[in-house]
Amino acid sequence: MKKGYQAILLTWMFVLLSGMNLQAQNAKLQGTVSNNQGETLIGATVLFQGTARGSVTNVDGQYLIDAIEPGTYKIVYSFLGNTSKIETVTFTAGQPLTKDIVLESDAMMLKEAVVVGYGTSKKEDLTGSTVVVTSKDFGKGNITTPEQLVSGKVSGIQITSNDGAPGSGSSIRIRGGTSINASNDPLIVIDGVPLDNGTISGAGNPLSLINPQDIESFVILKDASAAAIYGSRGANGVILITTKRGKAGSKDVIVNLQTSYSISEIVQYADVLSADEYRDVINQYGTNTQINRLGTESTDWQKEIYQRGTILENNLSFSGGLQNLPYRVSIGYKSEEGILKRSKLDRTSLGMNFNPSLFDDKLKIEINTKFAYTKNFFPDRGAIGGAVSFDPTKPVFRDDLFVVGGEETTYGGYYEWTNTAGALNNLAGKNPVGLLNQRDDESRVNRFIGNIKLDYEIPLIEALHAVLNLGTDAASSNGFVQVPAEAASQFAQKGQNTVYEQKKENKLLEFYLNYNKDLETFESNLDLTGGYSYQRWNNFSPAQPSVNALNDTITPAGIPALSENALISFYGRLKYDMFGKYLITATIRNDGSSRFSPDNRWGLFPSVAVAWRISEENIFKDSDVLSYLKMRAGYGITGQQDIFNDYPYIANYNTSSSTAQYQFGGNFYTLLRPDGYDSNIKWEETTSINGGLDFGFVNDRIFGSIDVYKKETNDLLAVVDVVAGTNFTNEILTNVGSMENTGIELELSFVPVDTKNVDFTFGVNVTSNQNKVTKLSKVANPDSPGILVGGISGGIGNNVQIHSVGHPVFSFFVYEQVYDDNGKPVQGEFVDRNGDDIINEKDRYIYEKPSPDLFAGFYTNFRYKKWSTGFNIRAEFDRYIYNNVNSNRGNFQSVGTSSLSNLNQNFLETEFLNTSVEQYLSDYYVEKANFFRMDYLNLSYNFGKLLKNTLDITLGVNVNNVFVISDYSGIDPEVVGGIDNNIFPRPRVYSLSLNVTL
Amino acid sequence: MSNTMKTMNLRYFALCLSLIMIFNTCTKDLDLLPAYGLNSATVYENPDNYINVLAKLYAGLAVSGNQGPAGNPDIAGIDEGFSQYTRVMWNLQELPTDEAVCGWTDVGIPELNTMTWTSSNSFVKAGYSRIFFQITLCNEFIRETSEAKLDDRGFTDAQKSTITAMRNEARFLRALSYWHAIDLFGTVPFVTEEDGIGSYFPEQISRTDLFNYVTGELLSIENSLATPKSNDYGRADRGAVWILLAKLYLNSEVYTGVPRYTEAANYANKINTSVYGLSTEYRFLFLADNDEAPATNEIIFPIRFDAMNTQTWGGGTFFVHAFLGNDTQTPAEFGVNGGWAGYRAKQAFSMLFPDTIDTRNMFQREGHQQLVEELGTWEHGYANAKYRNVTKTGALPIGADPSGNHVNTDFPMFRLADSYLIYAESAVRGAGDMGLAINYFNAIRERGYGDNSHNVSSLTLTDIINERARELHWEGHRRTDLIRFGLYTSSAYVWEYKGNVPEGTGIPNYLKLYPLSVDDIIANPNLTQNPGY
C-alpha cells in the first residue's frame, strides 16, 4: 500500500512542478539517481538550474520530467549528503532522454546546515574557525560523558578526563586556556540553551547527566569571530551540542536498541615496595623502634582496594515522522562500576524531541527535552593514597578488642595503628579497606534540560523569520555521607551522618528576527539577525548541621546559600555572500551582567570575518583536483564573566558560622566581618585574530584546514596583593593581568576508498599552542617571581607552580637538584643559582610546564564488506608533570615517627633518608611526560539487513584506553593540572555491544 | 472572520506577548544583591549589629576566619591554621629564641628556627597581613562609630554611649596591633580611620612616630574604658591599657632610643596595686578552666577559645596539640585526641631551671634528650606540657569537643606576673623602688615554688631576664625581652641553631627587625624595606 500512496503523491508533484503545459508533446527527461555505493537515492531532486521546476526521485530512485520545451538547459541533481551534479542537456522535440546519474558523497557535508549561534549556516559559508563533528565520527566504546565523544578528533581542542572514576568530568581547553582565576571552560550550549558549567553537588561532572547516545553533533566555535556572538561568555570558545531528532517525511517508526556489556580493569598499579622489600628497607635504615613495629603479613593494599568493574548500558530510541510531527524518544540506562571498590554510577536518561511544523511550514516548532536521574556512589578516595602508603606488613583485618574512653571497640574489625593504650594513633594513616567499606557516600541528582523554539515565517514580509526560544536547565540533588561511629576515620567525633541538598535553575528567554534574502541583481545573499536574550541563574543550598553517627550535632547549621545572577543581551549578525565566493560576517553583542557594578556591567563584543571561496572562482570551478579552497580571516572580542562569584563588587559583611563566635563574659556573639572587595571588578576580555585556509582535493577525498591564531586576554583576573591597610584582606581578585596564546592548527582527513565493499577514512590533527603571561600586577616588579600556585601534598603550604610574566601559566617553580657523578640526585643539595651561599626561595627557577606545546590526534575507520574497525591515537608533547607520589613517598622520613608508612620504589633509586621543603620542590620530581595514547580500538560486524530489510544488526567489540606510551614514571601521564598525587586510575575497558535497528 | 484574519490576529497577539515579556524582563533585573547577608550600607543601621562587628575585632586575635575551625579565611596565601594571629605571633616571638624549636618542614618554619628568613617568609608575611587586617577592620569600625555618624543614624543616648564604649575598645585593639607592628617590623605603613578602602598608597611611619601615636591613643582612652575587671571577661578594660602602656614604655629604649622605665614602673604599679592577684597555682593559668578564678584574678587580657564555638587550628588548639607528643605523653591527659609533635624546648632554655621543684618547670623529659642536635627530631629537646585542655582536677571541661580537636584553654596574653616583673626590671634599671621590686619578684618565686625557700634578697638584670624565661616562657614574650637585654643578636648568649649553626653563634643586628612583607614592598612604592633585607 505504501508504494501506491507514494505513486499518487509523486504524480501530483509532477503535475504541480511541470506547470500547466501538459498538452504539447514536448521532450522528456528520465533516469535514475544513485550514489557511488550503487544504491539508488530516494527523494533526490532534479531541478532546472535557477528554477523550482523539476522532479523528485521515487522509491526506486527514478525520476521523470515531462513537457520540456526544446532547448539547452542545465539540470541540477542533488541529494543531501552528496555533492550536486550539473548536467548540460539539449532537448529536441519529441525525443525522450535518459540520464542515469551517480552522485558522489559529500563526505564533508559542506552544504549541510550547521547550527551557529542564533541561526544556521551552510558549512561552506562559514567564515570563522568552526568544526563540526557528527555522530558517525564519534569515539566508540564505553563513553559515559559527552565530551569524550570528540576527544582527539578536532585540532585546537585538548580534552583530558579528570580521572578514571565513573562519570568523572573532563577538562576541555579550546586553544589554550585564557584565564588563571576565572573559568577556562568553553560555553556549552545544548539545543540552544547555554548551560551553567558550574558543579552540582552530588554529581562529579555536570555533563555526565547528559546521555552521549542522544547527541547528534558537536559544533565547536573556536575563534572569536565565531564565538563573539556569545559575548561575555565566548572567550574560551563555544560548543554547540545538538541532540538527535526524528526525520521529517519518514513514515516508519525507526526503533534502535543498543545494548552493551563491559568490563573495566586497572591498567597499572603504583610502584610501592612489597612487604619483603619493605622489611629489608626498615631493617637496613630504621631505628629499633621502627623495626619492632614491623608486622609479619604480606598485604598488597592496592589489590585489596581495586576490583574489576562491570558496566551495563542499554539505550532504546524510537523516531519517526508521524504526519507532520517528527519525533524522537529515547530511554537510556547505564550502570557503571568503577575499578575502585564501592564506586558506582547509575544513570537513567529520557529524551524527547518533537519538531512539528505547522501552517504550511510557516511555523516550525522544536521541543527538546532531556532528563536524567543519576545515582552516584562515591568511594572514599583517601583509600587510593592510603593503599600506596599503608604498611604492607600488616593484615587487612584484626579482631582485637580495645577499650578506649571506657568503651570497647574493634574499629570495625580493621587493622588500625593504635598506641599502647589502644587509642587510635591520629597521625597514622587509616586502613584503606576500612576507609572504603566504612563510608557510604551517595547522591541522587535529577537534571532537566529543555527548550521550546518557535520559528515563524512572518507573512507579508518576505524572507523575515521571528524566532522565540524559551529554555530551562534545572537540577536538584541530594546526598548523604555516613560513617559508623567505630570507624577509625571519624572515631573521635563518633562517625558521620551528614546530608546535603542543592537546587540549581537556569531560565532562558531569547527572541530574534532573521532576514535572509537572495539579492538576484547582485547575485548575493544578505542575512541579517538581531535579537535579545535574557538568562537568569540561581543556586540554592539549605544550611545543614554536621552530625555524627549517633546524631549528635558536631557543628550547627550555618546560614543557607543562595546565589543568583542575570544576563541581559542584545546581539546582531550581518552576513553577506557575494556571488557565492566572497563572504563577510559581522556580529556584535552587548552584554549586561548582574555580577558587576552598574558602572562596569555592560560590554560590547564585536567581531568581523571575511572569507573567499577560491574554489568557486572560474579558474578553479571545474577543476578535478581542487574541489574546495576557502581562505578565511577573522577578528573578534569575547569576554569571560564566569568568575565563580555572583556578587564580587559588593562590600559584603560576612556572618560567621556558629563555630566561629567570640565570648564576652558568659555570652557568645557571631562575628560580622567585612570582606575584601574590588568595586570596579569586571569581566576578562580576549581579543583574537584568526586566519585560516580550508581545502579539499579530489572531490573532498582529501580535506583539511590550517588555522593560525593569536588570542590576547586583558583585564585578566588575578589575585594580587593588596596594599596593606587599604582593603579588608591581604589578597583580592582584581583585573590586572594579560596573557596571550598563539598557535597553529592543522587538520586533515582522507577518504582514500569509498566503495560498496570497502571504506577507508583516516584523519589527523595537530595543534601547537604557546601560552604566555604578559602582565600580572599593576606595578611591574622585576624582583617578584610571580603568583605561587599548585599546592602539593607534603608539608603545608608548599606550592610548586607559578604564574610569572614571560612564562606559560602554571609553570613549575623549583630548586635545581644537584646530582652525583653517577647521575643520582644528592639529597638536600641544590644549585645556588644566585651565588649568595644560601639556598632559599631566591634560588628557585622556572622549569617547564604541564601544558603541551604540541598535541595531535589520529583516527581511522576501515570497513571491508560487513566488517568495520577503527581506532584513535592521541599524543601530547613537550609537557611535564610533578610526581608528588615520588616526592611524598620516596624518602625514608615519610616512614613516619609514630607508625610505619610504606615507601615508593623511587626510594630505592634515590635513597633519600630525609626530606625538606626544598627537596619537595626539587626539579628532580618534575618529569617529562610526552605520551601516545590509543583511546579506543573497535571491531564490529554488521549482519546487514535481515528479516526482509527491516532489521539491521551490528555486533561490536571495543577496548577503551588500549595503551599509553610515555616517558613519565608514574601510572598515567595525563594529569589535569600537572601535579600527580594519586589520581583515581583510568581503567582499561573491554566492551561487547549489540546495535539493532528496526 | 476569515482564516487569514484569524491567523493574523493570532500572530499579532503572539508578537505583542513576546514584546511584553521582553520589556518586563528589563534591565532592573541586573541589580541583584545577596539574599542572605549584610553589606556595608545596611550593617550599621541596626544598633544590634555593632556588638557583632566588635566581636570580629576581638576574634581576629582568636580565630582564623569566619568559619570555625577553617573554611572562610581572613587572609590568604598561607594555610589557614598557620595564619591565625596568636599562632603567627607566637612563632615569630618564640622560634628564633632560646625557648623553642619546631621540627616540621612546613614552608616558613625552618627559617624561623635558624634565623635565615627573607622578606618572603610565609610567617613574616602572615604576621604582617594579620596586623594590617586587624588595623583595617578597626579603622572601619572606628570610622563608622564616630559621633557624627551615630548622630546621623538617630540612635538614642544610651545606644550611643554603648557604641562609643565599643569604639574605645576598638582603639585599644588597633593600638595593640600597632604595638606588635612596632615590635616586629619597626616602621610600617600608617593608616587610621581617616583612610578608607580603595586604591592608594599609605605612607610609611617612623618607629618613634608610631610609638608616639600608639601611646597617645592609649593615654586618650585610658580613663574612658571600664575599670579593671568590670567589663565582660574577654573585653578590654583599663587594666589592659595599663599593661600595654607598661610594655611600650619598658621597650621604649629599643623602639625610640629614649628609655622610659619610670613610666613603665608607673603603669606597672597601677596594675600591681589594683584588683589583680596571682593565681594560686601556676598551672591553673594554662588549663581549660583558665576563664575562672583563680586564673582570672591574674589574667589582665585573655584571648578566649571555646571548643564548640571559637574553633581554630591556631590559638588554643595549636598550643595544646603542637607541643604534645604521642609516644611518652598521653593525649587524654591533655584533653585532646593526639599530639602534633612539633615544638620542643632548646637546652639553652631548659637549662635555666635549676631544679624540678619549681612548678613552672613542666618539661616532659621521658623520651627526650635535652640537647637539640637535629631540628627535625621530636626527641631532641624536652617537650613542654604547659598548655592543657583539662580542668584543675584533670577532667575534660564542660562543653569539650567530642572529636578531641578543639580546646577551651584561653591564651593569657597579659597577666599580673608580667607586670610584677616589669616593675622589678624598671627598679633594677633605676626607675622604681627596689624593695617593692624584690617583693614582687619573691611573690612570683613563692607562687612557683609553693614556699619562700627560693626567695631572693637582691636582683640583677640577669636575674630578671632569666626569671622572665622561667615565668613567662612560651607566652610570646621572649624575642622582645632578649632584644631589650641585648642578647638576641649578640654572641654573648647563644642557643642551638642560633644563626643556623648547631652550637649557636652571634648574628647580624639587622635581624632584630623582621623584614616588611615583600608583597607590600612591591605593591606600595612608598615603602622602604628594613636594612639588611
Side-chain angles (χ1 to χ4, degrees), chain A residues 954-973:
Chain A
T954 307
L955 186 69
V957 295
N958 196 90
V959 183
N960 284 93
N961 192 9
V962 186
F963 67 78
V964 63
I965 303 171
S966 170
D967 25 20
Y968 176 60
S969 71
I971 65 171
D972 193 324

Side-chain angles (χ1 to χ4, degrees), chain B residues 425-496:
Chain B
E425 181 179 335
S426 307
V428 174
R429 293 183 189 269
D433 178 87
M434 266 315 276
L436 197 51
I438 294 176
N439 285 348
Y440 287 142
F441 192 95
N442 284 335
I444 289 173
R445 279 286 173 106
E446 279 165 26
R447 192 264 296 272
Y449 280 96
D451 57 35
N452 58 10
S453 53
H454 288 77
N455 283 10
V456 300
S457 50
S458 65
L459 287 174
T460 64
L461 279 181
T462 314
D463 294 329
I464 300 285
I465 183 70
N466 289 340
E467 197 66 20
R468 284 187 75 83
R470 288 184 281 263
E471 176 66 31
L472 300 169
H473 62 89
W474 287 41
E475 291 173 46
H477 302 288
R478 193 58 171 170
R479 175 186 153 275
T480 311
D481 291 340
L482 287 175
I483 292 176
R484 186 171 69 252
F485 280 77
L487 299 172
Y488 187 66
T489 51
S490 134
S491 50
Y493 182 56
V494 295
W495 51 82
E496 297 101 293

Side-chain angles (χ1 to χ4, degrees), chain A residues 293 359 419 424-427 456 458-460 468 492-493 509 511 532 534 536 540 553-554 559-562 564-568 592-594 598 601-602 647 649-665 668-674 677 721-731 779 781 784 795-798 840-842 893 897-898 915-918, chain B residues 8 11 15 18 21-22 25-27 29-36 38-40 43-44 49 51-56 58-59 62-63 65-69 72-77 79 82 105-107 111 118 120 128-129 132-133 136-137 140 189 191 196-198 200-202 232-235 302-304 306 308-311 326-327 337-339 402-403 519-520 522-524:
Chain A
R293 287 191 184 128
F359 304 139
N419 65 15
L424 272 180
N425 179 340
N426 280 309
L427 290 179
Y456 187 56
I458 297 177
L460 304 183
L468 177 70
Q493 72 168 43
L509 179 142
F511 178 77
Y532 165 87
Y534 172 83
R536 170 90 170 234
F540 174 75
T553 306
I554 304 291
I559 52 175
L562 173 61
E564 303 176 290
N565 78 298
L567 186 69
I568 291 181
S593 169
S594 69
R601 61 172 54 137
W602 289 95
Y647 313 101
Y649 73 97
I650 292 178
N652 185 41
Y653 264 72
N654 183 279
T655 308
S656 70
S657 70
S658 59
T659 46
Q661 299 183 73
Y662 201 69
Q663 189 174 14
F664 292 146
F668 285 94
Y669 295 89
T670 45
L671 317 174
L672 278 175
R673 176 192 72 189
Y677 69 104
D721 296 305
V722 162
V723 173
T726 62
N727 209 319
F728 295 125
T729 181
N730 63 336
E731 287 182 0
V779 180
N781 180 293
S784 164
I796 295 181
N798 281 333
N840 60 15
E841 307 99 36
K842 298 200 168 115
Q893 191 174 329
T897 48
S898 60
T915 187
S916 60
V917 167
E918 291 80 17
Chain B
M8 274 179 72
R11 200 183 328 110
L15 197 66
S18 345
M21 279 198 288
I22 292 167
T25 56
C26 65
T27 55
D29 261 23
L30 293 179
D31 285 323
L32 287 175
L33 289 173
Y36 297 94
L38 297 158
N39 54 59
S40 57
V43 70
Y44 292 108
N49 287 335
I51 187 83
N52 302 96
V53 183
L54 181 71
K56 180 62 187 181
Y58 281 95
V63 293
N66 251 20
Q67 181 176 316
N72 190 347
D74 293 329
I75 63 174
D79 169 74
F82 279 30
T105 52
D106 304 303
V107 168
E111 298 88 57
T118 65
S120 25
Y128 190 87
S129 299
F132 280 94
F133 175 77
T136 314
L137 262 68
E140 169 87 349
V191 282
I197 301 298
Y200 61 95
F201 302 115
D232 287 341
Y233 187 64
R235 288 174 72 164
I303 309 291
R304 302 189 70 182
D306 183 271
M308 300 308 291
N309 299 306
T310 310
Q311 292 183 349
N326 296 301
D327 289 333
N337 59 19
S403 72
D519 298 331
D520 211 28
I522 293 169
N524 186 347

Side-chain angles (χ1 to χ4, degrees), chain A residues 917-990:
Chain A
V917 167
E918 291 80 17
Q919 195 58 62
Y920 268 108
L921 302 174
S922 162
D923 64 358
Y924 169 70
Y925 295 113
V926 177
E927 299 183 29
K928 196 168 204 178
N930 298 340
F931 70 87
F932 281 87
R933 186 176 218 131
M934 182 179 282
D935 282 333
Y936 68 84
L937 175 62
N938 167 274
L939 177 69
S940 59
Y941 182 76
N942 183 333
F943 289 92
K945 296 205 183 319
L946 309 175
L947 286 187
K948 293 193 200 166
N949 272 3
T950 52
L951 206 62
D952 189 289
I953 301 183
T954 307
L955 186 69
V957 295
N958 196 90
V959 183
N960 284 93
N961 192 9
V962 186
F963 67 78
V964 63
I965 303 171
S966 170
D967 25 20
Y968 176 60
S969 71
I971 65 171
D972 193 324
E974 278 193 273
V975 177
V976 172
I979 297 176
D980 180 4
N981 192 6
N982 294 315
I983 66 165
F984 191 128
R986 294 189 182 87
R988 182 171 293 139
V989 183
Y990 304 91

